[in-house]
Amino acid sequence: MRFADYAKIYVTAGRGGDGALHFRREKYVPKGGPDGGDGGKGGDVKLVGNPQLNTILDLRYRKYIKAEHGENGAKSRMTGSDGDPEILEVPLGTVVYDAETKERLGEITEEGEELVIAKGGKGGLGNWHFKSSTNQTPQFAQEGKPGEERVVELELKLIADVGLVGFPNAGKSTLLSVLSHAKPKIADYPFTTLEPNLGVVKFSDYRSFVMADIPGIIEEAHEGKGLGIQFLRHIERNNVLLFMVSAMTDIEYEYNALLNELKSYRKDLLDKPRVLAITKMDLKQGFELEEELHFDDEIPVIPISSATGHGIDELREKLWEMIQHAKEQEKEQEKT
């Protein structure tokens, strides 16, 4: 299945049913009076979170979505049935915007969570509501209200504990395949990864976390070069960022270049805790770096080799430790 993290759809909620204009007519019941029932409510259009989904590709092929209209009222004060809602299942991490105003309508982050994106119209009142001492036979009933119509944009931001950040061929896909059962495409040319991949990293003691391989960034990606910034939105959801730089490159330069790209996209991404993995250490004599590394921040640096397993266990434990710390800080912020 193709990965899709953006869709633009046109949604129309159901119209409310009309109230009934009716008078009771029964044998032996003189002057029965008005008894027209109310119209039913129009159906809503709503999103529901489904953790089994990881793409919004289906919605790309359903451009126009309409909910059911409410039924009209009937005699004997019978209310018309409400229109059935139109339910759209989406992956967790889906954010919804009004396409015209760019207003953020909400997001889906939990299984079964619902978000109404277009409200159904209210049903009209039947004529029995309008009976009074001065108007015993009201000759009118309300029409149902139209449902909301709008164009919405859906953006999927993958929810993962760790996001991999690095230039093409830094070894992100290889590490993901080693740490999890994910099977991303791997090759020795740039831009092998053309869409994000998710993998579950498991420990022998049943601990686990989710890791996302974000397609490779290049310098000036924020200006649209390479794959541009189309996948950087997924990094916003990660608790920890794992920067990956090959041991066969200028490590300090590449790390700082990655920081600059994230900063150019969204400055607050640099507030996230991060780890630097120096990859492909098996290509270095004795798994040692010749030069000392100097960074402006106190970032944990772990040399690894996905091919030999060197440093992999240390990296996995460090990521787990930082994820737990990040979650604790998040809880503290929620309390305040």
Side-chain angles (χ1 to χ4, degrees):
M1 180 183 290
R2 287 176 54 206
F3 182 85
D5 62 356
Y6 175 84
K8 185 175 183 179
I9 57 177
Y10 302 79
V11 296
T12 305
R15 182 181 183 277
D18 295 336
L21 175 59
H22 190 270
F23 294 90
R24 184 179 179 191
R25 293 183 177 86
E26 292 183 40
K27 195 174 183 180
Y28 309 122
V29 182
K31 301 179 182 178
D35 70 344
D38 303 339
K41 177 183 175 298
D44 299 328
V45 180
K46 59 185 177 181
L47 307 180
V48 178
N50 183 346
Q52 303 302 317
L53 298 177
N54 57 17
T55 175
I56 51 179
L57 181 63
D58 289 348
L59 294 179
R60 285 193 177 178
Y61 302 106
R62 294 187 62 192
K63 288 289 187 184
Y64 299 93
I65 295 169
K66 295 183 178 181
E68 192 177 64
H69 298 316
E71 291 187 358
N72 295 335
K75 63 181 181 180
S76 302
R77 299 188 184 181
M78 293 176 61
T79 300
S81 298
D82 293 342
D84 289 334
E86 185 65 28
I87 298 174
L88 308 175
E89 293 190 336
V90 294
L92 306 188
T94 300
V95 185
V96 192
Y97 300 91
D98 185 293
E100 296 179 2
T101 66
K102 302 305 178 184
E103 175 191 0
R104 188 173 182 274
L105 303 178
E107 61 183 308
I108 299 292
T109 59
E110 297 179 3
E111 180 177 1
E113 183 179 356
E114 295 185 357
L115 175 65
V116 175
I117 56 176
K119 294 181 180 179
K122 186 178 179 181
L125 299 177
N127 68 333
W128 75 271
H129 284 279
F130 305 104
K131 179 182 176 182
S132 68
S133 58
T134 57
N135 187 3
Q136 296 290 322
T137 57
Q139 298 292 324
F140 63 92
Q142 284 183 338
E143 292 185 350
K145 301 293 185 182
E148 287 184 332
E149 289 186 62
R150 70 186 348 154
V151 184
V152 298
E153 294 178 329
L154 307 179
E155 279 189 1
L156 172 60
K157 299 179 181 179
L158 293 178
I159 299 177
D161 298 301
V162 177
L164 305 184
V165 182
F167 291 126
N169 284 9
K172 301 187 302 300
S173 297
T174 303
L175 178 65
L176 183 66
S177 67
V178 168
L179 288 175
S180 72
H181 293 295
K183 293 179 174 59
K185 183 178 179 182
I186 300 171
D188 59 357
Y189 52 84
F191 301 119
T192 307
T193 304
L194 298 177
E195 58 190 41
N197 292 296
L198 283 177
V200 179
V201 180
K202 297 181 179 179
F203 294 77
S204 58
D205 57 1
Y206 302 105
R207 291 175 294 160
S208 66
F209 62 83
V210 179
M211 179 179 281
D213 171 17
I214 311 300
I217 305 168
I218 67 168
E219 285 192 82
E220 299 179 355
H222 66 280
E223 296 179 358
K225 293 191 177 181
L227 296 179
I229 61 172
Q230 59 178 314
F231 296 118
L232 284 177
R233 67 170 67 99
H234 299 296
I235 296 177
E236 297 173 29
R237 294 281 187 174
N238 305 149
N239 290 317
V240 177
L241 301 182
L242 174 57
F243 284 71
M244 299 183 65
V245 176
S246 169
M248 307 307 291
T249 63
D250 185 332
I251 297 170
E252 291 182 25
Y253 175 83
E254 292 217 351
Y255 172 68
N256 288 317
L258 288 169
L259 284 181
N260 287 334
E261 287 306 314
L262 293 193
K263 183 179 179 180
S264 298
Y265 172 66
R266 268 189 59 171
K267 190 175 181 180
D268 61 339
L269 290 179
L270 301 188
D271 296 333
K272 291 181 177 290
R274 51 187 183 268
V275 181
L276 173 61
I278 310 298
T279 66
K280 304 183 182 180
M281 288 299 296
D282 53 296
L283 302 180
K284 288 290 188 179
Q285 184 71 28
F287 293 87
E288 296 288 340
L289 293 172
E290 296 89 354
E291 73 278 8
E292 277 191 39
L293 300 176
H294 301 281
F295 300 107
D296 292 336
D297 48 11
E298 296 181 2
I299 181 175
V301 179
I302 302 177
I304 67 168
S305 167
S306 298
T308 66
H310 175 78
I312 295 298
D313 288 340
E314 179 187 353
L315 176 62
R316 182 162 35 204
E317 288 293 344
K318 172 55 72 173
L319 290 172
W320 174 262
E321 174 190 324
M322 296 188 72
I323 291 167
Q324 302 316 304
H325 182 65
K327 288 182 176 179
E328 287 175 8
Q329 285 188 322
E330 188 176 329
K331 288 180 181 178
E332 289 298 323
Q333 290 176 353
E334 288 177 355
K335 289 179 182 179
T336 56

